[in-house]
Tab-separated table of all heavy atoms in Angstrom:
chain	number	residue	atom	x	y	z
V	1118	THR	N	10.925	18.752	-8.892
V	1118	THR	CA	11.072	17.293	-9.038
V	1118	THR	C	12.278	16.909	-9.823
V	1118	THR	O	12.659	15.798	-9.778
V	1118	THR	CB	9.775	16.741	-9.620
V	1118	THR	OG1	9.527	17.309	-10.910
V	1118	THR	CG2	8.574	16.916	-8.752
V	1119	LEU	N	12.891	17.827	-10.581
V	1119	LEU	CA	14.038	17.549	-11.391
V	1119	LEU	C	14.890	18.787	-11.595
V	1119	LEU	O	14.376	19.873	-11.814
V	1119	LEU	CB	13.601	17.002	-12.765
V	1119	LEU	CG	14.671	16.672	-13.766
V	1119	LEU	CD1	15.454	15.398	-13.252
V	1119	LEU	CD2	14.095	16.455	-15.113
V	1120	LYS	N	16.194	18.648	-11.468
V	1120	LYS	CA	17.122	19.675	-11.693
V	1120	LYS	C	18.087	19.122	-12.818
V	1120	LYS	O	18.615	18.005	-12.647
V	1120	LYS	CB	17.887	19.986	-10.455
V	1120	LYS	CG	19.033	21.015	-10.654
V	1120	LYS	CD	19.689	21.188	-9.268
V	1120	LYS	CE	21.016	21.954	-9.464
V	1120	LYS	NZ	21.724	22.048	-8.192
V	1121	ASN	N	18.294	19.892	-13.878
V	1121	ASN	CA	19.025	19.404	-15.008
V	1121	ASN	C	19.829	20.507	-15.624
V	1121	ASN	O	19.474	21.662	-15.635
V	1121	ASN	CB	18.039	18.851	-16.027
V	1121	ASN	CG	18.696	18.022	-17.104
V	1121	ASN	OD1	19.835	17.672	-17.020
V	1121	ASN	ND2	17.932	17.660	-18.138
V	1122	GLY	N	21.002	20.128	-16.214
V	1122	GLY	CA	21.799	21.096	-16.972
V	1122	GLY	C	23.142	21.350	-16.389
V	1122	GLY	O	23.419	21.102	-15.179
V	1123	PHE	N	24.031	21.953	-17.173
V	1123	PHE	CA	25.338	22.338	-16.768
V	1123	PHE	C	25.504	23.848	-16.839
V	1123	PHE	O	25.706	24.513	-15.786
V	1123	PHE	CB	26.398	21.646	-17.651
V	1123	PHE	CG	26.474	20.191	-17.463
V	1123	PHE	CD1	25.950	19.359	-18.447
V	1123	PHE	CD2	27.017	19.582	-16.321
V	1123	PHE	CE1	25.928	17.940	-18.256
V	1123	PHE	CE2	26.995	18.205	-16.192
V	1123	PHE	CZ	26.498	17.408	-17.188
V	1124	ARG	N	25.470	24.369	-18.019
V	1124	ARG	CA	25.609	25.850	-18.180
V	1124	ARG	C	24.268	26.553	-17.811
V	1124	ARG	O	24.288	27.686	-17.346
V	1124	ARG	CB	26.033	26.155	-19.524
V	1124	ARG	CG	27.495	25.657	-19.798
V	1124	ARG	CD	27.874	25.925	-21.194
V	1124	ARG	NE	27.676	27.250	-21.653
V	1124	ARG	CZ	28.520	28.026	-22.267
V	1124	ARG	NH1	29.673	27.567	-22.568
V	1124	ARG	NH2	28.213	29.243	-22.629
V	1125	TRP	N	23.190	25.989	-18.221
V	1125	TRP	CA	21.904	26.536	-17.922
V	1125	TRP	C	21.124	25.528	-17.054
V	1125	TRP	O	20.722	24.466	-17.550
V	1125	TRP	CB	21.120	26.847	-19.215
V	1125	TRP	CG	19.707	27.262	-18.959
V	1125	TRP	CD1	19.192	28.085	-18.009
V	1125	TRP	CD2	18.484	26.824	-19.657
V	1125	TRP	NE1	17.875	28.266	-18.064
V	1125	TRP	CE2	17.450	27.500	-19.163
V	1125	TRP	CE3	18.344	25.948	-20.798
V	1125	TRP	CZ2	16.140	27.295	-19.564
V	1125	TRP	CZ3	17.062	25.820	-21.218
V	1125	TRP	CH2	15.989	26.382	-20.648
V	1126	ILE	N	20.994	25.779	-15.770
V	1126	ILE	CA	20.205	24.887	-14.922
V	1126	ILE	C	18.763	25.165	-15.145
V	1126	ILE	O	18.259	26.261	-15.071
V	1126	ILE	CB	20.610	25.192	-13.415
V	1126	ILE	CG1	22.125	25.054	-13.211
V	1126	ILE	CG2	19.831	24.240	-12.519
V	1126	ILE	CD1	22.714	23.686	-13.450
V	1127	ARG	N	18.038	24.081	-15.396
V	1127	ARG	CA	16.583	24.207	-15.495
V	1127	ARG	C	15.936	23.200	-14.541
V	1127	ARG	O	16.483	22.270	-14.181
V	1127	ARG	CB	16.130	24.006	-16.983
V	1127	ARG	CG	16.984	23.134	-17.707
V	1127	ARG	CD	16.858	23.225	-19.251
V	1127	ARG	NE	17.388	21.983	-19.751
V	1127	ARG	CZ	18.654	21.690	-19.837
V	1127	ARG	NH1	19.500	22.579	-19.480
V	1127	ARG	NH2	19.040	20.580	-20.252
V	1128	TYR	N	14.694	23.546	-14.326
V	1128	TYR	CA	13.940	22.732	-13.322
V	1128	TYR	C	12.611	22.262	-13.843
V	1128	TYR	O	11.998	22.853	-14.737
V	1128	TYR	CB	13.628	23.630	-12.046
V	1128	TYR	CG	14.883	24.268	-11.453
V	1128	TYR	CD1	15.342	25.481	-11.894
V	1128	TYR	CD2	15.599	23.595	-10.577
V	1128	TYR	CE1	16.493	26.018	-11.313
V	1128	TYR	CE2	16.736	24.042	-9.953
V	1128	TYR	CZ	17.177	25.256	-10.375
V	1128	TYR	OH	18.355	25.817	-9.763
V	1129	ARG	N	12.166	21.123	-13.305
V	1129	ARG	CA	10.824	20.663	-13.577
V	1129	ARG	C	10.104	20.758	-12.219
V	1129	ARG	O	10.682	20.359	-11.163
V	1129	ARG	CB	10.785	19.198	-14.046
V	1129	ARG	CG	9.334	18.707	-14.206
V	1129	ARG	CD	9.209	17.431	-14.913
V	1129	ARG	NE	7.828	17.000	-15.032
V	1129	ARG	CZ	6.983	17.489	-15.940
V	1129	ARG	NH1	7.355	18.324	-16.826
V	1129	ARG	NH2	5.740	17.102	-15.942
V	1130	VAL	N	8.907	21.374	-12.244
V	1130	VAL	CA	8.166	21.628	-11.022
V	1130	VAL	C	6.787	21.022	-11.184
V	1130	VAL	O	6.120	21.197	-12.158
V	1130	VAL	CB	8.094	23.097	-10.732
V	1130	VAL	CG1	7.265	23.324	-9.480
V	1130	VAL	CG2	9.492	23.692	-10.526
V	1131	GLU	N	6.303	20.312	-10.178
V	1131	GLU	CA	4.946	19.786	-10.078
V	1131	GLU	C	4.220	20.809	-9.174
V	1131	GLU	O	4.562	20.929	-7.976
V	1131	GLU	CB	4.883	18.405	-9.477
V	1131	GLU	CG	5.567	17.352	-10.331
V	1131	GLU	CD	4.925	17.147	-11.724
V	1131	GLU	OE1	3.706	17.306	-11.783
V	1131	GLU	OE2	5.611	16.825	-12.665
V	1132	PHE	N	3.270	21.498	-9.752
V	1132	PHE	CA	2.543	22.542	-9.048
V	1132	PHE	C	1.333	21.982	-8.316
V	1132	PHE	O	0.779	20.963	-8.708
V	1132	PHE	CB	2.163	23.678	-9.924
V	1132	PHE	CG	3.378	24.528	-10.412
V	1132	PHE	CD1	3.943	24.253	-11.580
V	1132	PHE	CD2	3.865	25.537	-9.594
V	1132	PHE	CE1	5.078	24.998	-11.989
V	1132	PHE	CE2	4.956	26.279	-9.991
V	1132	PHE	CZ	5.586	26.022	-11.189
V	1133	ASP	N	0.857	22.706	-7.263
V	1133	ASP	CA	-0.259	22.253	-6.476
V	1133	ASP	C	-1.630	22.128	-7.285
V	1133	ASP	O	-2.482	21.505	-6.858
V	1133	ASP	CB	-0.447	23.211	-5.238
V	1133	ASP	CG	0.681	23.023	-4.247
V	1133	ASP	OD1	1.545	22.157	-4.409
V	1133	ASP	OD2	0.761	23.815	-3.286
V	1134	ASN	N	-1.643	22.848	-8.417
V	1134	ASN	CA	-2.871	22.768	-9.176
V	1134	ASN	C	-2.854	21.556	-10.142
V	1134	ASN	O	-3.693	21.383	-10.992
V	1134	ASN	CB	-3.075	24.049	-9.990
V	1134	ASN	CG	-2.104	24.317	-11.079
V	1134	ASN	OD1	-1.082	23.586	-11.167
V	1134	ASN	ND2	-2.311	25.283	-11.835
V	1135	GLY	N	-1.914	20.639	-10.014
V	1135	GLY	CA	-1.846	19.434	-10.784
V	1135	GLY	C	-1.048	19.485	-12.105
V	1135	GLY	O	-0.970	18.551	-12.827
V	1136	VAL	N	-0.495	20.695	-12.376
V	1136	VAL	CA	0.203	20.882	-13.657
V	1136	VAL	C	1.746	20.750	-13.360
V	1136	VAL	O	2.220	21.290	-12.409
V	1136	VAL	CB	-0.094	22.236	-14.219
V	1136	VAL	CG1	0.780	22.510	-15.469
V	1136	VAL	CG2	-1.552	22.388	-14.505
V	1137	GLY	N	2.390	19.947	-14.242
V	1137	GLY	CA	3.863	19.827	-14.221
V	1137	GLY	C	4.486	20.644	-15.335
V	1137	GLY	O	3.989	20.512	-16.491
V	1138	VAL	N	5.480	21.422	-15.047
V	1138	VAL	CA	6.110	22.246	-16.112
V	1138	VAL	C	7.608	22.009	-16.069
V	1138	VAL	O	8.181	22.033	-14.957
V	1138	VAL	CB	5.795	23.738	-15.902
V	1138	VAL	CG1	6.419	24.560	-17.024
V	1138	VAL	CG2	4.305	23.982	-15.873
V	1139	GLY	N	8.235	21.719	-17.209
V	1139	GLY	CA	9.701	21.501	-17.290
V	1139	GLY	C	10.366	22.679	-17.913
V	1139	GLY	O	9.708	23.623	-18.399
V	1140	SER	N	11.705	22.631	-17.958
V	1140	SER	CA	12.563	23.630	-18.541
V	1140	SER	C	12.314	25.034	-17.983
V	1140	SER	O	12.331	26.002	-18.736
V	1140	SER	CB	12.429	23.684	-20.042
V	1140	SER	OG	12.849	22.495	-20.621
V	1141	LEU	N	12.131	25.108	-16.661
V	1141	LEU	CA	11.907	26.415	-16.047
V	1141	LEU	C	13.239	26.952	-15.602
V	1141	LEU	O	14.089	26.279	-15.037
V	1141	LEU	CB	10.983	26.284	-14.826
V	1141	LEU	CG	9.579	25.902	-15.114
V	1141	LEU	CD1	8.813	25.670	-13.799
V	1141	LEU	CD2	8.892	26.980	-15.940
V	1142	ASP	N	13.455	28.221	-15.860
V	1142	ASP	CA	14.653	28.963	-15.432
V	1142	ASP	C	14.465	29.376	-13.966
V	1142	ASP	O	13.354	29.582	-13.493
V	1142	ASP	CB	14.832	30.215	-16.326
V	1142	ASP	CG	16.149	30.875	-16.084
V	1142	ASP	OD1	17.180	30.322	-16.536
V	1142	ASP	OD2	16.176	31.893	-15.363
């Protein structure tokens, strides 16, 4: 749902179990 960063690209993902997690490598 979100892509962020320049040197380190990190992602926010909304998972099918209803949990959203950010700063994923």
Side-chain angles (χ1 to χ4, degrees):
T1118 58
L1119 178 70
K1120 175 182 166 185
N1121 193 11
F1123 294 104
R1124 292 175 51 133
W1125 172 43
I1126 304 297
R1127 31 198 200 282
Y1128 303 93
R1129 176 167 182 80
V1130 177
E1131 297 296 327
F1132 289 96
D1133 290 353
N1134 66 352
V1136 177
V1138 182
S1140 294
L1141 294 174
D1142 188 77

